[in-house]
Amino acid sequence: MHNEVSPGDQRSAKRILLGDPLPTDKLEGQLLSKRLALPIFASDALSSVAYAPQELLMILMIGGLAFLSLAPWIAACVVILLLVVMLSYRQLIKAYPSGGGDYEVARKNLGETAGLTVAAALLVDYALTVAVSIASGVDNIISALPFLNEWRVELAIAFVIILVAVNLRGVSESSKLFALPTYIFAGSVFLMIVVGFVRMVLGDAPVAESANYTVHGESLTQAAMVLLILRAFASGCSALTGVEAISNGVQAFRLPKIQNAQKTLVAMGGIAIVLFAGLTALALTTGVHYAEKPCDLQGFADCASTPQRSLIAQVASATFGDGSFLFFLVQAATALVLLLAANTAFNGFPMLGSVLARDGYAPKALNTRGDRLIYSNGVIILGLVAIGILLVFQANLTQLIQLYVIGVFLSFTLGQFGMVKHWRRVRRENKSAPGSMSGLLINGLGATLTLVVLLIVTVTKFTHGAWVVFVIMPILGLLMAGVHRYYRDVAQEIQVDPDIRFGSDGDLAVVLVGRLDKPTLKALDYARAAKHDRLIALHASIDPERSKQLKAEWEALDLGIEISCIPSPYRDVAIPVSKFIKRDRVENGPAVVTVYMPTYIVGHWWERLLHNHRSRQIQQRLLLVHGVTVSLVPWLLDSSEMIYGRRSRPLPGDARRGLPQRPAPMRPAGARVSNGAMRLPEGAVKPPQEPGADTIANTVVPEPEDK
């Protein structure tokens, strides 16, 4: 009773949202050119200029307006650090282009513990990237449309869901969708910087709406002043987030992968430096005053009820005019690029997850490409984690930013020290190896600077919430080590060894019969077609009266196989069946036992709640019985046509006879069943198969002569 597969007339909701499946040979078409890779991988680093200057100035404002004079020097240090890190990662891409990034470098050069530390740090950082980017994007939307403040968390979660859905459509489609907003953001902010400085040169310097606000700075000791400056530098270093994304995604580039990845990294770093430095300078010249607590601003009348405008919104308003087209363009582009900056994580997280799964440190499901040739399980997991973070922190950017940067600078540091060891090993093998000396110097400088920044970030942000990251990372590392040990133990357990023995003797088929219906008869036909040595129809009797009626119906159909009933006093099916099989193996030898069970295929999600519960329980129990294989025989209900475009066909003869159930098979007089197959008396003619019948016919063979 095989069912032919025919295409459905209607597309499922999944296909409408995500698109049709792509064959593996289309993978090259899903790879990225430099033009499309830049917005995909650089959106995080480029968008950080929208909040990094704001966080830098906000921390300095704690000490009072006088501390803003230190902002240019702190920003210069951030720019130098960004330049060094960019050059360092350019070396890393060349040495380790497989896509593992800092994780692969640390694991191969510094050992398993360092590799898992980097992996845990990057996984945490990717999740925080989504949360921070979304929260910052919503913050900028609220700056332009304050009435949405009440829906901050709901908006953030909605944007995460949208990003998950878009990314599940595939890398190529998401890159095309996200390219334009990223380029518009970079262009509009650059235009704003140019216009702002041109107005300054012409004597019409723009003035921010908060320029006349004052702040009563806190009284600070000398040590507190140093910590405040270091904390401002640490907050400004959020501009470096996302630099590592390209090294983790080299395999997503088109050929030549290494050169394309390096050029994209240089372009990203150059644009980020120009935008960060220009926006910081313009914010200082326009007099933007941004406080952690809006009511600390003296002169902000409605601080309790009116949300404080973001730094970039104040600069755009001062430069282009409040309510102007260019103001809304900058705000819209900023909000979009901040929301899309999370897309960098949606590319990096699944890639890193696949590498970890390949190495045995994460579930193998993370290394499986979905219908659209992306690691869809990683995308979904990241989306769920990001939603959880946004709910816990209520999409509050100021709180989330305190958890940020720790993970990325930890991975920076270990990755750079791993590269130093790599170059030293290369030089030991060949001192004249091209690029080894320059690589050693660049990565050595990068390792030193990132280590210093990591210490600064840890000291200044630990008590402000960063301690949470230091709790989560070791837990993730231990989990990954546990997964690796588990896969290693399983591999040792299942590997072939000289002691393996094959001792099965015989072949038994057991068809479980709960009631007499078409799915049960289909399972019986499958068992007959397999031509087992022995075939048993087995019924576990829970209700004696019902079992008696079933046996009478079975005999009335004259199926050619007797049904065996076994008692089940405790109303369980699996235990009596497993005892029956064990007893049969003792009496008849260690046969291979195949248990046939019908199962329903449904079209609605709620139908899964109504069917197959007992069959799943029986299956799980029988799989624990030695020598037993469970074969599930599908029966497609009418509702399955919604998904598969077909339903189970009638049994042979039903349509012509108009019968709801299968009639007794045509069995010549004197025929008997041996081992599940009917045998005809000598000279008997085999009954003809009905034309077009979609079934496995009963096996009929001539009766042997008596000896």
Side-chain angles (χ1 to χ4, degrees):
M1 302 172 199
H2 295 300
N3 298 321
E4 297 291 336
V5 178
S6 58
D9 295 328
Q10 296 180 348
R11 299 183 71 198
S12 65
K14 177 182 177 181
R15 291 287 155 251
I16 294 173
L17 290 174
L18 306 183
D20 295 325
L22 296 174
T24 304
D25 58 11
K26 298 293 184 183
L27 181 59
E28 178 66 25
Q30 292 294 300
L31 300 180
L32 303 173
S33 63
K34 297 188 293 295
R35 177 176 55 85
L36 293 178
L38 181 61
I40 279 285
F41 288 107
S43 56
D44 182 17
L46 297 183
S47 67
S48 64
V49 303
Y51 54 81
Q54 174 178 296
E55 296 300 313
L56 188 156
L57 298 184
M58 182 187 72
I59 299 301
L60 290 176
M61 287 278 286
I62 295 174
L65 297 179
F67 276 77
L68 293 180
S69 61
L70 299 173
W73 302 103
I74 296 175
C77 292
V78 173
V79 168
I80 293 172
L81 181 63
L82 178 56
L83 182 62
V84 171
V85 170
M86 180 188 69
L87 294 175
S88 299
Y89 272 96
R90 193 172 181 275
Q91 300 294 323
L92 190 150
I93 289 172
K94 182 179 180 180
Y96 294 90
S98 64
D102 288 320
Y103 156 73
E104 184 179 5
V105 174
R107 188 175 70 88
K108 289 186 175 179
N109 295 286
L110 303 179
E112 181 185 48
T113 301
L116 292 182
T117 302
V118 170
L122 285 173
L123 292 175
V124 171
D125 181 65
Y126 282 134
L128 288 173
T129 294
V130 177
V132 170
S133 299
I134 294 292
S136 184
V138 170
D139 204 35
N140 276 271
I141 292 175
I142 293 173
S143 293
L145 305 170
F147 67 89
L148 292 175
N149 191 41
E150 296 181 2
W151 304 94
R152 180 183 295 269
V153 178
E154 291 81 357
L155 279 173
I157 293 175
F159 283 126
V160 173
I161 294 173
I162 292 172
L163 283 174
V164 169
V166 172
N167 276 278
L168 287 176
R169 290 189 65 88
V171 174
S172 180
E173 292 208 19
S174 63
S175 63
K176 293 173 183 176
L177 181 64
F178 298 158
L180 188 59
T182 304
Y183 285 125
I184 291 177
F185 167 76
S188 61
V189 173
F190 183 75
L191 176 64
M192 181 176 67
I193 294 170
V194 171
V195 171
F197 282 109
V198 168
R199 285 184 58 182
M200 288 173 53
V201 172
L202 297 178
D204 182 26
V207 179
E209 61 190 49
S210 60
N212 295 324
Y213 298 166
T214 59
V215 174
H216 293 300
E218 298 179 8
S219 180
L220 301 173
T221 63
Q222 188 171 2
M225 290 173 58
V226 173
L227 285 175
L228 183 67
I229 294 171
L230 292 177
R231 187 182 168 195
F233 172 69
S235 295
C237 285
S238 59
L240 276 75
T241 56
V243 174
E244 81 290 348
I246 293 179
S247 69
N248 292 330
V250 177
Q251 293 304 308
F253 284 82
R254 290 180 181 172
L255 297 173
K257 294 179 182 291
I258 295 176
Q259 290 84 344
N260 287 338
Q262 287 179 323
K263 291 176 182 178
T264 304
L265 176 66
V266 171
M268 177 193 71
I271 296 172
I273 288 173
V274 170
L275 297 185
F276 173 79
L279 187 57
T280 303
L282 193 56
L284 291 172
T285 55
T286 56
V288 173
H289 295 157
Y290 190 91
E292 186 173 5
K293 298 178 181 177
C295 290
D296 289 343
L297 294 172
Q298 306 299 314
F300 191 6
D302 300 325
C303 62
S305 58
T306 305
Q308 187 179 193
R309 272 187 169 184
S310 63
L311 178 145
I312 199 168
Q314 293 189 45
V315 173
S317 176
T319 304
F320 296 129
D322 194 17
S324 65
F325 169 77
L326 289 176
F327 165 77
F328 282 110
L329 177 65
V330 171
Q331 284 305 100
T334 302
L336 275 175
V337 81
L338 283 166
L339 296 173
L340 301 182
N343 198 62
T344 298
F346 277 108
N347 280 272
F349 185 97
M351 287 280 191
L352 178 60
S354 71
V355 174
L356 289 170
R358 181 195 67 196
D359 293 341
Y361 292 103
K364 298 298 183 184
L366 293 178
N367 195 31
T368 302
R369 292 186 184 270
D371 290 344
R372 301 290 293 179
L373 297 178
I374 59 148
Y375 300 111
S376 51
N377 292 323
V379 171
I380 294 172
I381 291 173
L382 179 59
L384 293 175
V385 173
I387 288 174
I389 294 173
L390 289 169
L391 284 172
V392 170
F393 290 92
Q394 292 294 290
N396 187 307
L397 179 61
T398 302
Q399 293 181 12
L400 287 169
I401 205 75
Q402 303 305 322
L403 281 67
Y404 208 25
V405 180
I406 297 285
V408 71
F409 271 98
L410 179 58
S411 63
F412 281 173
T413 303
L414 291 176
Q416 295 308 306
F417 274 106
M419 285 300 298
V420 169
K421 189 171 182 179
H422 165 79
W423 290 122
R424 291 179 63 183
R425 184 176 65 251
V426 170
R427 287 185 60 78
R428 280 198 305 270
E429 296 171 357
N430 182 10
K431 283 192 176 183
S432 60
S436 60
M437 189 62 193
S438 60
L440 181 61
L441 292 175
I442 292 173
N443 290 121
L445 178 60
T448 303
L449 293 181
T450 53
L451 176 61
V452 171
V453 175
L454 175 62
L455 295 174
I456 292 172
V457 169
T458 302
V459 170
T460 57
K461 291 195 172 191
F462 189 85
T463 57
H464 295 274
W467 62 269
V468 176
V469 177
F470 285 99
V471 171
I472 294 175
M473 285 194 299
I475 294 175
L476 274 177
L478 290 174
L479 287 174
M480 288 187 285
V483 170
H484 185 68
R485 284 195 299 271
Y486 171 78
Y487 278 133
R488 181 194 60 201
D489 294 343
V490 170
Q492 292 176 352
E493 181 180 344
I494 64 176
Q495 68 181 358
V496 178
D497 56 60
D499 298 329
I500 191 168
R501 295 288 183 272
F502 299 95
S504 298
D505 182 20
D507 178 20
L508 169 64
V510 176
V511 179
L512 294 187
V513 180
R515 60 184 178 183
L516 191 55
D517 52 20
K518 292 178 180 179
T520 301
L521 295 178
K522 182 178 180 182
L524 184 63
D525 270 351
Y526 268 68
R528 279 173 162 167
K531 299 181 180 179
H532 299 276
D533 294 342
R534 293 185 296 138
L535 174 59
I536 299 174
L538 190 63
H539 171 70
S541 177
I542 297 174
D543 182 348
E545 290 299 322
R546 182 180 172 188
S547 299
K548 185 177 180 181
Q549 181 183 358
L550 171 66
K551 192 168 185 179
E553 293 174 352
W554 185 275
E555 292 175 351
L557 282 181
D558 194 18
L559 296 171
I561 296 178
E562 293 185 2
I563 185 170
S564 300
C565 294
I566 54 176
S568 178
Y570 296 99
R571 300 161 304 284
D572 184 86
V573 175
I575 294 177
V577 171
S578 61
K579 288 182 177 179
F580 176 88
I581 293 172
K582 291 177 181 177
R583 186 168 59 250
D584 184 272
R585 285 171 61 87
V586 170
E587 296 174 354
N588 299 293
V592 174
V593 181
T594 304
V595 178
Y596 290 87
M597 296 170 50
T599 186
Y600 292 117
I601 307 299
V602 299
H604 302 99
W605 65 268
W606 50 265
E607 289 181 282
R608 299 191 185 104
L609 304 175
L610 306 177
H611 295 293
N612 298 327
H613 293 291
R614 175 166 289 184
S615 64
R616 282 194 292 266
Q617 295 172 358
I618 297 172
Q619 177 189 5
Q620 292 172 359
R621 183 61 183 261
L622 292 180
L623 288 176
L624 298 176
V625 180
H626 183 70
V628 172
T629 299
V630 178
S631 178
L632 298 179
V633 180
W635 183 268
L636 279 69
L637 296 179
D638 288 349
S639 61
S640 65
E641 190 173 9
M642 297 176 54
I643 298 178
Y644 304 103
R646 65 188 180 96
R647 64 186 71 177
S648 285
R649 292 185 177 182
L651 291 166
D654 283 356
R656 180 169 58 80
R657 296 185 182 95
L659 297 175
Q661 289 190 348
R662 173 183 176 174
M666 291 179 289
R667 181 180 173 194
R672 63 183 179 83
V673 174
S674 174
N675 297 333
M678 288 193 298
R679 295 187 178 273
L680 293 174
E682 184 178 3
V685 180
K686 177 180 175 180
Q689 178 73 18
E690 296 179 25
D694 184 22
T695 183
I696 301 170
N698 294 322
T699 305
V700 184
V701 295
E703 177 76 24
E705 296 181 1
D706 293 332
K707 299 294 183 183

